[in-house]
Amino acid sequence: MYENLFYGALGAAAGAVLKTALDVFVQGRRVAALKQALLEELLDLKERLRLVIYSYKRSLQIYALNGVSNDLPLKLTNPVYKRYYPEVALKFGASQRQSFSIIDSCVDGVNAGIDRVEAVLAGIVESRSEQDVEKWGDILKAQYKNAALAYWHVDFHLLNQEIPFLGEAGSEAHNSYLLMIKDVESDIEKLVQGARENLSREMFK
């Protein structure tokens, strides 16, 4: 009798251990799958941001020729991050969490910028004033830069997946970031000037 109770208890204990091990295994697989999905989403965001930048580039060229484009880039989405990131956040290091947070803020910022461009375009349709066209150009420049910064953060994370950390002021990564900002500002001016010198509005019809 006692032997049966012993073996019964032993079997129950073994079953509990096995169930716990299985739960840990399944959860580990889920976490690994979600982490991979987050990285794949970053790859998608990188491509979508490239298209946003291209859209702003084209609109800036039209602006440089005193024209107006009604085209707007498509907004960004990061549904995997929005829905599942809390499940795996603690599985990432501090710099990874910081980077994902920055990128999520960038997504929201780019989308808000698209809304601002759209609002100004609506005003131009109403007034067609030179002041509104200039305002549109200023917002295009700001949002081009905003999208380029977002692209840089996504690309930096993908290239430094284990430790996507900018570091302190003066670090190599931080200096690279500051140089990129200057390059983007220079690229915008070259883009506008180049359009005025080499393009015509007929080319965009």
Side-chain angles (χ1 to χ4, degrees):
M1 177 180 176
Y2 291 112
E3 184 177 344
N4 290 339
L5 289 174
F6 171 76
Y7 284 117
L10 184 63
V17 170
L18 182 61
K19 181 179 184 305
T20 299
L22 183 60
D23 289 344
V24 170
F25 175 75
V26 170
Q27 181 61 22
R29 297 257 330 241
R30 177 175 173 80
V31 167
L34 287 176
K35 291 175 75 172
Q36 182 61 34
L38 282 165
L39 290 176
E40 290 173 0
E41 185 170 77
L42 290 185
L43 286 169
D44 180 61
L45 274 176
K46 182 178 175 179
E47 176 60 19
R48 294 286 298 278
L49 279 163
R50 186 186 67 80
L51 295 176
V52 171
I53 292 168
Y54 177 81
S55 177
Y56 282 138
K57 177 180 178 179
R58 185 177 186 279
S59 293
L60 276 168
Q61 289 172 326
I62 294 173
Y63 155 77
L65 300 170
N66 300 314
V68 175
S69 170
N70 291 320
D71 293 337
L72 288 167
L74 294 175
K75 288 187 176 182
L76 306 175
T77 59
N78 55 341
V80 177
Y81 178 90
K82 298 290 191 191
R83 181 170 180 179
Y84 296 109
Y85 179 73
E87 289 188 37
V88 295
L90 294 179
K91 301 299 182 180
F92 288 112
S95 65
Q96 293 171 316
R97 292 194 298 272
Q98 182 185 49
S99 181
F100 272 115
S101 178
I102 290 172
I103 291 169
D104 183 53
S105 296
C106 286
V107 168
D108 292 341
V110 169
N111 288 340
I114 292 172
D115 287 337
R116 285 194 286 274
V117 174
E118 185 176 23
V120 172
L121 274 174
I124 292 174
V125 171
E126 293 287 331
S127 69
R128 287 288 178 177
S129 71
E130 183 177 333
Q131 182 180 5
D132 279 343
V133 173
E134 285 303 312
K135 182 178 179 182
W136 178 63
D138 289 341
I139 289 181
L140 284 177
K141 293 176 183 178
Q143 298 315 316
Y144 180 103
K145 181 178 177 180
N146 197 27
L149 295 181
Y151 182 96
W152 189 92
H153 279 294
V154 172
D155 191 51
F156 183 78
H157 188 113
L158 289 169
L159 291 173
N160 304 274
Q161 294 178 19
E162 294 303 317
I163 308 178
F165 181 53
L166 282 177
E168 303 295 331
S171 69
E172 181 178 351
H174 194 268
N175 287 339
S176 174
Y177 176 73
L178 296 178
L179 180 61
M180 178 273 303
I181 293 175
K182 292 182 179 179
D183 286 344
V184 169
E185 292 171 347
S186 176
D187 288 344
I188 291 172
E189 297 309 313
K190 290 177 182 178
L191 178 64
V192 172
Q193 188 62 32
R196 287 172 177 162
E197 294 175 355
N198 304 306
L199 303 178
S200 66
R201 288 171 64 172
E202 287 70 27
M203 298 175 66
F204 294 93
K205 293 181 179 179

